[in-house]
Amino acid sequence: MTLIERYIALRVIKMAVASILPVLAVIWIVQVLARVNLVTDSGQSISSFFQLAGLILPTIIPMVIPFGVVIGVAQTFSAMNADSEFAVIDAAGMPRRRLIRPVIIVALGACAISFAVDNLVEPIVRVQARKMIAAVYADLLSSVIEEKTFRKIDDGLYLQISKRLHGRTLSGIFVADYRDPESELVYYAKEGAIDEAGTTLVMHDGEVDRRSANGDISVVKFMSYAFDLSQLTKSRGGMTLRAIDRDLPFLFHPDPNDTDVKAYSGEYTAELHRRLTEWSFPLVYGLIAFVIAGRVRTQREIRLHPVISGLAIAFVLRWLSYYMSNQIADAPIFVTLLYAVPLAITAICMILILSARTLHLPRWMTRGLGRIPLGGTKAGGGR
């Protein structure tokens, strides 16, 4: 690259990173706070929480990178135009199409990062996150680790212990089971233990109080009682991998015997084509931003800020891609559209760039903006 091309590429990278980091931090914090119940409900340590937070981060990066490229390209060329750098470059005779080279190089680098994270890193961290959550909930002891504190184990099921002894032994056990609307069961036991598989709570020397729907109460003392937890631990600790958790080779050749593949085969097709198209968004969005901002403009020209225009188009295209990928399971025709839209936009942008054409606001919009008074004058320049 020439000196001016390296200068533009460096400015685009700096601006893109500066815009990506705050947005990435906000989205990451929102996603992490939505899973804070892993600590509050299951009694896990704060280190487990931060480990899960670290696994969430790579899943957000491919979503943010394209918008960072839009902001970086649009803001860089807008600032160069405001500082009259474009005027100097244009006066020196440098063609507009030469300016697109650093944008394409930076955008292709962003595409490579997006593809690698989306197809290599993200499936691995998603599986690790699911394993971590499954391991937490498969062991019921993690849900009752705090002594003398009521824990909601399931809807209508609460458990409290007075003390945890050696191994898996518990003392002072209280269990309230309101899951059956026809009867309420309350268990008391001096001690007990959860088996190694985490599927049964064996209580010793206690009683169970049963209240029926008509108000009858019965009390039964027991020397030993086994409380079944198998369905509970299975439902909470089971790990089912979905299409979004699979790696790219599996999406190309799904296992026909996989239960989830049989039930949701359309989702696997949609996820495959989503992975094969979304990596190109940084390039598409970068070209759009260049078409909008990559030319000399006068300061008196009526226009929206290039960043606003670029982000507006990028959000529309992102929503359109999301909509089409969700429709693939029911309408395979959207597979063609999912590839055709970014290819068509790329072709249109390259034609506009190579032919030195520019985009302008519609006349009705410029007339409307020109009527807005700015400091006692109109945007068009007259009083």
Side-chain angles (χ1 to χ4, degrees):
M1 290 192 294
T2 62
L3 180 61
I4 185 63
E5 290 173 343
R6 290 197 299 270
Y7 170 74
I8 294 173
L10 186 60
R11 289 193 64 171
V12 170
I13 292 173
K14 288 181 177 179
M15 189 58 63
V17 172
S19 60
I20 285 174
L21 292 181
V23 176
L24 185 65
V26 171
I27 298 177
W28 180 56
I29 291 173
V30 172
Q31 294 289 326
V32 168
L33 291 179
R35 293 165 175 80
V36 73
N37 63 321
L38 179 69
V39 174
T40 58
D41 290 346
S42 63
Q44 291 296 294
S45 63
I46 193 66
S47 61
S48 299
F49 174 72
F50 283 118
Q51 181 182 354
L52 181 61
L55 294 174
I56 293 174
L57 183 59
T59 65
I60 309 172
I61 293 176
M63 179 175 57
V64 178
I65 286 180
F67 295 102
V69 173
V70 171
I71 297 174
V73 174
Q75 185 60 34
T76 295
F77 286 106
S78 179
M80 291 178 65
N81 185 71
D83 295 338
S84 300
E85 291 176 298
F86 262 178
V88 174
I89 293 173
D90 189 60
M94 185 175 183
R96 187 186 179 204
R97 59 178 177 272
R98 287 284 301 277
L99 299 177
I100 192 61
R101 184 181 176 187
V103 174
I104 292 178
I105 292 175
V106 173
L108 288 177
C111 288
I113 295 174
S114 181
F115 181 86
V117 174
D118 201 13
N119 293 281
L120 302 178
V121 179
E122 187 174 342
I124 296 175
V125 299
R126 282 186 177 275
V127 171
Q128 292 299 320
R130 287 190 180 274
K131 287 181 178 179
M132 179 179 175
I133 295 174
V136 168
Y137 288 123
D139 187 355
L140 189 64
L141 282 177
S142 64
S143 298
V144 295
I145 194 170
E146 293 186 14
E147 300 172 352
K148 299 181 180 178
T149 300
F150 278 98
R151 284 290 180 185
K152 181 180 179 181
I153 307 302
D154 196 14
D155 291 336
L157 181 61
Y158 303 86
L159 192 148
Q160 182 199 37
I161 62 171
S162 297
K163 190 176 181 181
R164 288 188 58 183
L165 304 177
H166 61 280
R168 307 173 71 87
T169 305
L170 314 172
S171 68
I173 301 173
F174 172 87
V175 180
D177 187 357
Y178 304 131
R179 291 175 296 178
D180 187 356
E182 297 298 325
S183 62
E184 299 176 358
L185 300 172
V186 178
Y187 302 85
Y188 307 92
K190 290 184 178 180
E191 64 177 15
I194 298 179
D195 65 349
E196 293 293 335
T199 59
T200 305
L201 170 62
V202 181
M203 295 179 282
H204 304 285
D205 192 10
E207 65 180 39
V208 52
D209 298 349
R210 179 180 182 276
R211 180 189 294 271
S212 62
N214 58 13
D216 294 339
I217 299 176
S218 60
V219 178
V220 177
K221 293 184 178 293
F222 58 81
M223 293 299 296
S224 180
Y225 187 93
F227 189 84
D228 186 16
L229 303 171
S230 58
Q231 293 300 320
L232 174 64
T233 55
K234 181 179 179 180
S235 62
R236 299 188 68 185
M239 185 183 71
T240 301
L241 296 181
R242 306 304 302 272
I244 197 172
D245 305 316
R246 305 292 191 171
D247 55 24
L248 198 58
F250 186 93
L251 293 176
F252 272 112
H253 304 287
D255 183 3
N257 298 320
D258 188 281
T259 305
D260 196 67
V261 173
K262 292 180 180 178
Y264 306 100
S265 59
E267 291 187 6
Y268 284 80
T269 302
E271 180 65 17
L272 172 63
H273 294 292
R274 183 195 69 80
R275 299 264 191 95
L276 295 178
T277 54
E278 285 194 358
W279 66 269
S280 65
F281 282 178
L283 177 61
V284 177
Y285 291 2
L287 293 176
I288 292 173
F290 183 82
V291 170
I292 295 173
R295 73 178 182 89
V296 179
R297 297 174 183 265
T298 65
Q299 298 301 317
R300 296 174 62 83
E301 183 176 344
I302 299 173
R303 63 191 179 104
L304 293 175
H305 194 282
V307 174
I308 297 176
S309 303
L311 283 177
I313 297 175
F315 278 122
V316 171
L317 293 179
R318 185 67 184 85
W319 172 85
L320 185 62
S321 173
Y322 180 79
Y323 173 79
M324 291 188 297
S325 62
N326 284 344
Q327 297 299 316
I328 289 177
D330 300 321
I333 186 62
F334 282 97
V335 172
T336 303
L337 295 176
L338 194 64
Y339 289 91
V341 170
L343 288 175
I345 294 174
T346 301
I348 293 172
C349 289
M350 291 305 299
I351 291 173
L352 292 175
I353 294 169
L354 296 177
S355 61
R357 297 179 183 178
T358 57
L359 296 179
H360 299 277
L361 291 175
R363 289 185 178 180
W364 62 268
M365 186 176 292
T366 56
R367 287 197 299 266
L369 292 174
R371 297 191 185 99
I372 300 176
L374 300 173
T377 64
K378 290 185 178 181
R383 287 193 177 275

